[in-house]
Amino acid sequence: MTSTEQRVKLQNKIWKIANDVRGSVDGWDFKQFVLGTLFYRFISENFANYMEGGDDSIDYANSPDEVITPELKADAVKTKGYFIYPSQLFVNIAKNAHTNPNLNTDLKTIFDAIENSANGCPSEEDIKGLFSDFDITSTRLGDSVKGKNSRLAAVLKGVEELDFGRFEEGQIDLFGDAYEFLISNYAANAGKSGGEFFTPQHVSRLIARLAMHKQTSVNGIYDPAAGSGSLLLQAKSYFDRHIIEEGFFGQEINYTTYNLGRMNMFLHNINYDKFDLKLGDTLRYPAFKDIKPFDAIVSNPPYSIKWIGSDDPTLIVDDRFAPVGALPPKSQADFAFVLHALNYLSAKGRAAIVCFPGIFYRGGAEQKIRKYLVDQNFVETVISLAPNLFFGTSIAVNILVLSKHKEKNITQFIDASGKTFFKKVVKNNILEDEHIERIIEIFDKKEDVDYVAKMVENRKIAENDYNLSVSSYVEARDTREKVDIVKLNREIQETVEKIDALRRDIGEIIKEIEA
C-alpha cells in the first residue's frame, strides 16, 4: 500500500470514528481519545512482539496472566520501560468492548497499571502520566456509564479496524498524520492554533535536514519547544546515516502536548532510554544544562508570546543572555528562544529555528540582538518560506540557521517563498520533496542565485542597521509584463490615424445623405 493510499485510508477511518461519536464529544477533545487509543494499541502490539521474541509458537495475547513471574516482569520493565499483562492488551479489551459494562473503569485500571509498572524504575519519569489526557471517566464522553462505554467502544473498534501491519513499518507517520488530520479539521472550529502544537511533517523534514546537514555523527537532537515531537522525529529518519549517540531531547511547557510528545517517541519505537523529554518553561527553568551542548537543534517556538523578560533581574546575567547585554522585549519572546538555542549549540553543530518575520527588522532590543548574532558570525542562513504552511496561521515564516563554525563573515539569504517552492493543496501550501531538495541544494552551495539567493558580507548587513529580512537582500523577480514604449506609441499613432480616417469617411457619408 502506498503512502497516499495509507493516508487516505487513515483519514477516512478517523472520520468514520468521529461520525460514530458526533454530537457527544467536542472535536478538540475527541482527538485526545483517538490519539490515546492509537497509542494504547501501539504499545500493546509492540510489547506483545517483544514478549514473543520472534517465536511463532508463543501467542502472548492468549497467554494467562498467571504465567508471568516477578522476574520476567522486572526484566521486561528494565528493557521496555513498562509492563502489560496479556489480559490488559488492546486486542483483548477491544474484542469485547461493545458488551463490557465496565469498559471505562477497566481501561482506567489498565492505564494506571501500565504507568505504575514503571514506579521506582529508570523509566518512571518517561511513563508517568502518559494516559492522563485520555480521561475515560470524563463527562465529555456522556453523563451515564452506558453512554461513556458506548462511545469508548466505538473509538476502540474503529482503531482496531486500522490495518497497516506493524506501526513502525508503515509508509506514513501514522501518529503524526492522525494528529495533523485532527488538527486541520478541528483547530479552526475550536478556536485553537494547530501550529502551537504541531509542525507539519513537510516543514519538519526541511528543518531537520538543515540542522543535520553534512554531519556524520551527532551527540543528540534537541528541541527547546518540543511540542508533539514532530521535529525530533524527522531527525530520526536520518538515524541510519547519522550516529545519534545520546538520543532525543526536548522540553515542552504544555502538559497535554508534552504527553503527546512522549507518546510519539514510543510510537516511533524510540525506547525510553533513547529520549528525554522534560515538562517545564524552557526560558525560565531550562532543562539539560548539564547535558548541553547539542550538535543538532530544531525548533518551532511559539510566535511572539509574552515572557517575564526584564521583570526577572536574574535573566540579564543568565549565560544565555548575558553576552548580548540585552533581553528580548517582554511582549515578544522570539529571540529568547533563539538565544537559548544558540547557548545550547555545540561548536560543530547547527540550529534550525522557525521564526516570526518581524524579529528580523524591528528596532530596540531585537536590533541589538541581531547585531550580536551578526558581529559574532553566528547567522549562517535566513530562509523565507511561503505563506500558509502551518495550521492556524497564514504567516510566511522564516527559518533561521545558526552555526558556530562559519569560516567567512558572510551570511546567506534564501527566498523560498515563490511558486516554484511549494504546492497549493486546498487551503494550505505544502513543501514536496522536490522543493525541499532544491532548498537544501541552494543552502549547501552557498552561491548567488538570481531572485532566489544572495551571499551578503556581514559588514553590509551592519551598514543596513543589521536588518536580516530576506527581501532586503534578494531582489524580487519583476513579473509585470514588459512594455515596448516605442512600439506602443507607434500602435497608438496608427490607431489615431485609423480613427481620423474613419471620422472623415463618416463625414462624407453624412454629407451625401443630407444632399
Side-chain angles (χ1 to χ4, degrees), residues 27-28 31 179-197 391-392:
W28 192 254
K31 74 176 176 59
Y179 188 55
E180 187 168 347
F181 178 70
L182 290 165
I183 287 286
S184 63
N185 279 277
Y186 293 126
N189 293 334
K192 300 176 187 289
S193 168
E196 179 183 350
F197 304 106
F391 295 117

Side-chain angles (χ1 to χ4, degrees), residues 249-457:
F249 301 82
Q251 188 166 354
E252 171 57 38
I253 194 171
N254 181 286
Y255 188 74
T256 296
T257 317
Y258 161 71
N259 276 343
L260 289 175
R262 291 190 295 163
M263 287 183 185
N264 224 350
M265 294 294 124
F266 282 110
L267 193 65
H268 285 79
N269 216 24
I270 299 175
N271 211 30
Y272 75 93
D273 58 347
K274 275 296 182 181
F275 77 85
D276 192 353
L277 298 185
K278 302 290 189 185
L279 177 67
D281 187 335
T282 297
L283 300 182
R284 295 196 68 184
Y285 310 109
F288 310 115
K289 288 188 287 188
D290 297 330
I291 298 177
K292 69 171 186 176
F294 296 99
D295 294 337
I297 297 177
V298 292
S299 190
N300 176 22
Y303 307 145
S304 300
I305 62 167
K306 295 179 181 179
W307 76 306
I308 192 167
S310 58
D311 285 346
D312 182 351
T314 65
L315 286 175
I316 195 62
V317 295
D318 187 299
D319 61 358
R320 296 170 296 170
F321 311 112
V324 186
L327 294 172
K330 290 187 294 182
S331 59
Q332 286 134 349
D334 307 72
F335 263 131
F337 285 101
V338 170
L339 292 175
H340 172 90
L342 179 68
N343 180 258
Y344 274 52
L345 183 64
S346 73
K348 70 169 234 181
R350 279 193 180 90
I353 308 165
V354 179
C355 294
F356 182 78
I359 70 170
F360 293 112
Y361 58 80
R362 291 190 297 238
E366 291 180 322
Q367 183 185 40
K368 189 170 184 179
I369 294 169
R370 293 197 304 272
K371 179 180 187 303
Y372 170 77
L373 294 175
V374 173
D375 288 349
Q376 296 298 315
N377 204 27
F378 290 141
V379 181
E380 180 173 358
T381 305
V382 182
I383 304 171
S384 175
L385 297 179
N388 290 311
L389 290 175
F390 294 82
F391 295 117
T393 178
S394 61
I395 296 171
V397 301
N398 290 179
I399 297 178
L400 174 64
V401 182
L402 301 174
S403 68
K404 296 179 178 178
H405 56 271
K406 289 173 62 182
E407 296 179 357
K408 298 180 180 179
N409 291 317
I410 298 177
T411 299
Q412 181 185 42
F413 294 88
I414 300 175
D415 183 355
S417 63
K419 292 183 179 179
T420 59
F421 286 97
F422 68 89
K423 178 181 179 181
K424 186 171 182 59
V425 178
V426 193
K427 295 180 180 179
N428 283 89
N429 296 323
I430 63 169
L431 301 175
E432 296 190 312
D433 288 344
E434 62 184 272
H435 304 130
I436 295 173
E437 290 297 335
R438 188 178 176 206
I439 293 171
I440 294 296
E441 181 182 359
I442 295 169
F443 172 75
D444 177 62
K445 287 185 176 180
K446 297 291 192 293
E447 296 175 353
D448 289 354
V449 180
D450 289 346
Y451 311 115
V452 173
K454 186 74 173 178
M455 301 299 297
V456 181
E457 293 181 8

